[in-house]
Amino acid sequence: LLQFSLEATVWFDLKKGYFGAYMAQGFANDVLLQLVEELRRGFPDLIGDLELQHMWAYKYNQGSKGINVHADDALLNLNFWVVPDSANRNSSSGGMVIYLKEPPAGFDALTFNNVGYGDIDLDAFAAGSPSIVIPYRQNRLVMFKSTLLHATDEHDFFPGYESRRVSVTFLFGKRLQQST
């Protein structure tokens, strides 16, 4: 996967501070699809037959903030990182922050993640909530309920293309829609 992330020409989505590659636009090679099947076998009670809703990777510019606080529209979120630990200048950071708080029941993910919650932005909405900071480690898998608020942790990777932080995300299952 590291080699694929370095050589593949699937990084089409240019965002502020990072590039995105998505399942429907070429980020779905045999190794990734085999990994999905192995994860299903390894975690049958969690993933089992849940449909793979989406799969993507983000490749970050050095010095960028990363992804802001948000929630994903699925049941289960799996994140992992593929660049060697030696590219990270600070071994206590660079991963992600998961807040033990969810959006209100019945939230629309697109609106919630792009507009916020009423007059409150998502950083303020998450502020004060208990959180878990997961430091960056190559091949570390982080699995959590997709609707938990989460964000990219502060990161400081060495300069150079091969040292760019690369995160891969799999979203499994459809979130049950609840009325408010």
Side-chain angles (χ1 to χ4, degrees), residues 69 71 99 101-105 112 116-129 147 149:
V69 174
Y99 297 91
K101 184 172 187 173
E102 296 180 70
F112 185 81
Y117 183 56
D119 293 334
I120 302 171
D121 73 15
L122 295 184
D123 288 326
F125 185 73
S129 301
T147 54
L149 297 174

Side-chain angles (χ1 to χ4, degrees), residues 12 27 35 49 57 93 101 112 154 173:
F12 298 121
F27 189 74
L35 178 57
D49 293 331
S93 68
K101 184 172 187 173
F112 185 81
E154 292 182 14

Side-chain angles (χ1 to χ4, degrees), residues 35-55:
L35 178 57
V36 167
E37 291 311 310
E38 290 177 9
L39 287 165
R40 287 183 191 288
R41 286 193 302 275
F43 299 100
D45 295 337
L46 295 173
I47 301 172
D49 293 331
L50 291 176
E51 182 181 351
L52 177 64
Q53 296 294 321
H54 207 10
M55 174 172 56

Side-chain angles (χ1 to χ4, degrees), residues 68-177:
N68 293 325
V69 174
H70 67 286
D72 290 314
D73 198 14
L75 288 177
L76 189 63
N77 186 315
L78 279 69
N79 274 254
F80 62 95
W81 304 291
V82 299
V83 173
D85 296 342
S86 59
N88 185 1
R89 293 188 214 206
N90 183 349
S91 64
S92 66
S93 68
M96 67 187 308
V97 180
I98 300 173
Y99 297 91
L100 304 180
K101 184 172 187 173
E102 296 180 70
F107 80 102
D108 172 71
L110 187 61
T111 303
F112 185 81
N113 290 333
N114 291 299
V115 177
Y117 183 56
D119 293 334
I120 302 171
D121 73 15
L122 295 184
D123 288 326
F125 185 73
S129 301
S131 63
I132 302 167
V133 176
I134 296 124
Y136 182 96
R137 297 292 181 271
Q138 183 182 26
N139 295 328
R140 171 174 277 170
L141 177 69
V142 181
M143 186 182 316
F144 58 97
K145 185 177 182 182
S146 289
T147 54
L148 287 173
L149 297 174
H150 54 284
T152 304
D153 190 19
E154 292 182 14
H155 55 277
D156 181 21
F157 282 60
F158 285 102
Y161 185 74
E162 293 184 358
S163 294
R164 286 178 178 232
R165 178 187 186 274
V166 175
S167 65
V168 177
T169 300
F170 297 151
L171 296 182
F172 287 96
K174 291 188 179 184
R175 178 176 59 95
L176 299 175
Q177 300 294 326

